[in-house]
């Protein structure tokens, strides 16, 4: 009885059951019927049940595409399928690692996006710089002295040699222009 069972197992694994995997179109179906559960169990233990079904499908698809490479003289069909499964499981792990890396980068971008204050500050700086570049040299110099050097209008007039009224007018017009530039960004936030 034991010898009969060993022969039966060997027949299923090789091709003594009449399964000619390289030439028989129905062989894939038969191979799946005979070994699908074993391959699925192996795959699902390695990559989880959900992904295990996909990997199992990839195993049998690859086996079908490479069926002419199967040589019953070199080993059993289940051994060959398990070898393919091992490679597909490794591929699935590599793919999951790459996906996690992409997700981590996406999470960083999302976290950056939720940190609006930093993004808003960058946008404001860029808009102020652009608006300042659009000012005349005299007006830009007056604004820079007022805000970056923290000088009063009188000190700016004295340092630049311009009349106080001209300095005040240049700064007022420049601030209005900056306000208009920044208001455009704020309107887009609504």
């Amino acid at each position: 009885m034991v010898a009969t069972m060993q022969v039966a197992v060997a027949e299923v694994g090789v091709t003594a059951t009449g399964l000619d995997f390289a030439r028989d179109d129905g062989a894939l179906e038969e191979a799946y019927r005979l070994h699908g559960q074993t391959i699925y169990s192996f795959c699902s233990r390695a990559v989880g049940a959900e992904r295990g079904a996909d990997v199992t499908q990839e195993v049998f698809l690859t086996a079908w595409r490479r069926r002419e490479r199967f040589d019953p003289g070199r080993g059993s069909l289940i051994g060959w399928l398990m070898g393919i499964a091992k490679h597909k499981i490794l591929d699935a792990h590599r793919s999951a690692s790459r996906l996690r890396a992409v997700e981590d980068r996406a999470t960083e971008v999302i976290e950056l996006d939720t940190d609006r204050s930093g993004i808003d500050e960058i946008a404001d700086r860029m808009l102020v710089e652009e608006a300042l570049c659009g000012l005349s040299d005299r007006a830009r110099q007056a604004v820079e002295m007022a805000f970056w050097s923290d000088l009063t209008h009188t000190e700016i007039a004295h340092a630049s040699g311009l009349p106080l009224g001209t300095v005040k007018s240049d700064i007022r017009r420049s601030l209005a222009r900056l306000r208009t530039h920044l208001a455009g960004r704020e309107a887009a936030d609504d």
Side-chain angles (χ1 to χ4, degrees):
M1 177 78 169
V2 172
T4 307
M5 285 180 62
Q6 288 175 339
V7 170
V9 168
E11 287 175 357
V12 169
V14 183
T15 57
T17 58
L19 183 64
D20 188 356
F21 200 68
R23 293 185 202 101
D24 184 5
D25 287 344
L28 179 65
E29 184 178 346
E30 184 65 12
Y32 186 80
R33 189 185 66 72
L34 292 170
H35 305 298
Q37 188 58 46
T38 303
I39 297 297
Y40 171 73
S41 294
F42 177 55
C43 293
S44 63
R45 287 180 185 171
V47 297
E50 185 177 320
R51 185 72 178 113
D54 293 335
V55 174
T56 300
Q57 182 178 10
E58 291 173 23
V59 168
F60 282 94
L61 184 60
T62 300
W64 180 250
R65 288 179 178 153
R66 297 181 183 166
R67 63 187 179 274
E68 68 281 344
R69 294 183 187 176
F70 173 64
D71 179 7
R74 292 182 57 201
S76 67
L77 178 60
I78 186 63
W80 186 65
L81 292 170
M82 289 293 274
I84 294 171
K86 181 183 81 170
H87 292 286
K88 292 299 176 184
I89 289 167
L90 291 172
D91 290 346
H93 282 295
R94 285 185 201 113
S95 176
S97 294
R98 285 189 300 271
L99 181 60
R100 277 192 299 276
V102 168
E103 288 172 345
D104 289 346
R105 284 192 299 268
T107 301
E108 290 172 8
V109 169
I110 290 169
E111 288 172 359
L112 178 64
D113 188 44
T114 58
D115 183 17
R116 299 296 297 173
S117 63
I119 293 171
D120 287 342
E121 185 177 327
I122 292 168
D124 288 345
R125 284 182 181 186
M126 291 175 72
L127 287 171
V128 167
E129 182 65 32
E130 183 180 316
L132 285 173
C133 287
L135 299 176
S136 68
D137 289 339
R138 185 180 78 194
R140 183 175 52 252
Q141 185 180 17
V143 169
E144 288 173 351
M145 291 171 94
F147 292 96
W148 279 284
S149 300
D150 201 28
L151 299 177
T152 65
H153 292 169
T154 306
E155 291 170 331
I156 295 169
H158 185 268
S160 64
L162 295 172
L164 181 59
T166 303
V167 170
K168 288 181 178 184
S169 295
D170 284 348
I171 291 174
R172 185 177 33 80
R173 281 192 299 270
S174 298
L175 291 178
R177 190 172 199 166
L178 290 171
R179 193 174 304 116
T180 302
H181 245 67
L182 293 173
R185 186 193 57 79
E186 292 168 358
D189 289 344
D190 294 338

